[in-house]
Amino acid sequence: MDVQAVEHDFEQEQRRWKALNDAGHEAYGRRKHVVAEEKFKEALDLAEKWGKTESLKDRQDVRGWLALSLNNLGALYQAQGKYGLAEEMYQRSLKMKQELFGEDHKEVAPALQNLASVLCARSHFLAAEPMFRKALAIKEREFGAFDKELLITLKNYSLALKRLQRDAEAAALDERIEKIEGLNLQAK
């Protein structure tokens, strides 16, 4: 098979992957979790196939699609209360993003946050805490200490600290959350 034919086939496969992801998100939005899972799994299978193809496996876009497919399935499993499966998908996605971008890249922060949130859902607050701290540090470096992009991480981290009965630390985060929310109200 010549190079042009391979590229054409890959372009068709890319469109199929995107269509599967879009269909999965649309089904998820309508709470059709069985259909969403089916679509997300098909997209993951396709991305994993690319990841095993010698000519494609080292491409950054292919590895990014694999990480996104893992994350999508993890989010679905978390919404379904399948925390063990969600944790597995999030761990694989995090590893892939760290390999792609490095430990402290802005693309790694959401993966850390997602894994930490599912760990909290499983009552593994101590395991989640360093992930929240690292995600927060990355976001602070990227957006500043009082940007609205930090809110979800701060809120989830605060909840974890409260569960660990570290109320003073949680209160400091809550004050920061209020300040950020106040700044965003003033900006409107």
Side-chain angles (χ1 to χ4, degrees), residues 36 55 128 131 145-146 148:
S55 63
M131 292 176 201
F146 293 96
K148 65 182 180 181

Side-chain angles (χ1 to χ4, degrees), residues 23-141:
H25 284 293
E26 196 266 326
Y28 180 84
R30 291 183 301 128
R31 299 185 191 273
K32 304 287 185 188
H33 290 173
V34 173
V35 174
E37 182 176 6
E38 176 185 300
K39 300 302 178 188
F40 286 149
K41 279 184 171 180
E42 283 185 63
L44 177 58
D45 289 345
L46 194 54
E48 285 178 326
K49 181 181 96 173
W50 298 337
K52 294 175 185 170
T53 303
E54 195 60 38
S55 63
L56 300 174
K57 70 180 183 180
D58 293 325
R59 285 181 51 161
Q60 188 168 358
D61 56 350
V62 168
R63 298 185 67 188
W65 294 324
L66 178 55
L68 181 58
S69 293
L70 291 164
N71 185 75
N72 290 343
L73 202 49
L76 175 66
Y77 287 145
Q78 185 171 0
Q80 292 175 315
K82 298 176 182 176
Y83 300 129
L85 290 171
E87 183 178 342
E88 178 187 340
M89 296 297 116
Y90 285 151
Q91 283 176 337
R92 289 178 61 198
S93 179
L94 173 61
K95 182 179 181 215
M96 181 86 34
K97 286 193 173 205
Q98 288 171 326
E99 289 171 0
L100 276 170
F101 302 111
E103 295 283 324
D104 295 319
H105 192 274
K106 68 180 180 180
E107 290 292 325
V108 172
L112 285 163
Q113 184 174 300
N114 290 342
L115 182 54
S117 71
V118 82
L119 288 170
C120 285
R122 300 183 81 187
S123 297
H124 299 295
F125 304 108
L126 281 174
E129 184 189 5
M131 292 176 201
F132 281 134
R133 271 198 321 268
K134 183 154 185 149
L136 189 57
I138 293 168
K139 287 183 172 190
E140 287 171 337
R141 188 188 69 243

Side-chain angles (χ1 to χ4, degrees), residues 155-169:
K155 288 177 180 181
N156 289 333
Y157 187 17
S158 175
L159 289 171
L161 289 171
K162 288 172 187 170
R163 293 296 194 126
L164 292 168
Q165 299 181 338
R166 291 167 49 192
D167 295 331
E169 291 171 81

